[in-house]
Amino acid sequence: MATVDMIEDLGHAGIETGMARDALTMLEKSEIDLLLTDVGLPDMPGTDLVAKALETRPALPMIFATGHSRVEGAQTNDRSALVVKPCQSWDIAAAIAKVVAAQTRG
């Protein structure tokens, strides 16, 4: 099951792109509440995507998806989470709940 399908099955709207540059454009033009990115994107690492996104949206919650148990260079704070692939919808639900709860707390 595709990640965006899992997100939508959880009751959230999802926008999908396979390229980091397209994601940055979407962040500029759309109301995006959360960024879920793979670490290995074709045009730049997901960690670089997040760093660029945080330049203009410093409070943006983010979720990293990867096949590894940790990500070098990943944000490590309450507004970030790591989902290890292959993942299930409950893994994504838990990650969303974590970063949204942190955002609600301020």
Side-chain angles (χ1 to χ4, degrees):
M1 187 184 232
T3 304
V4 74
D5 292 335
M6 286 190 247
I7 290 168
E8 290 174 349
D9 286 347
L10 292 168
H12 306 283
I15 302 171
E16 182 177 11
T17 180
M19 303 294 267
R21 285 178 176 66
D22 293 340
L24 290 169
T25 299
M26 289 179 190
L27 282 167
E28 291 174 11
K29 296 180 178 182
S30 304
E31 287 295 320
I32 307 282
D33 298 324
L34 179 139
L35 174 62
L36 189 155
T37 183
D38 197 317
V39 173
L41 297 171
D43 58 341
M44 78 173 69
T47 52
D48 291 354
L49 165 60
V50 166
K52 290 181 182 296
L54 290 175
E55 289 174 8
T56 57
R57 307 269 306 272
L60 183 69
M62 69 214 67
I63 299 171
F64 294 95
T66 182
H68 304 283
S69 60
R70 59 183 216 131
V71 177
E72 288 295 323
Q75 296 289 326
T76 53
N77 59 45
D78 289 345
R79 289 193 177 111
S80 67
L82 177 70
V83 174
V84 179
K85 300 185 300 184
C87 60
Q88 301 297 321
S89 61
W90 56 79
D91 299 315
I92 293 174
I96 291 171
K98 175 191 181 270
V99 298
V100 169
Q103 185 177 29
T104 304
R105 286 192 304 270

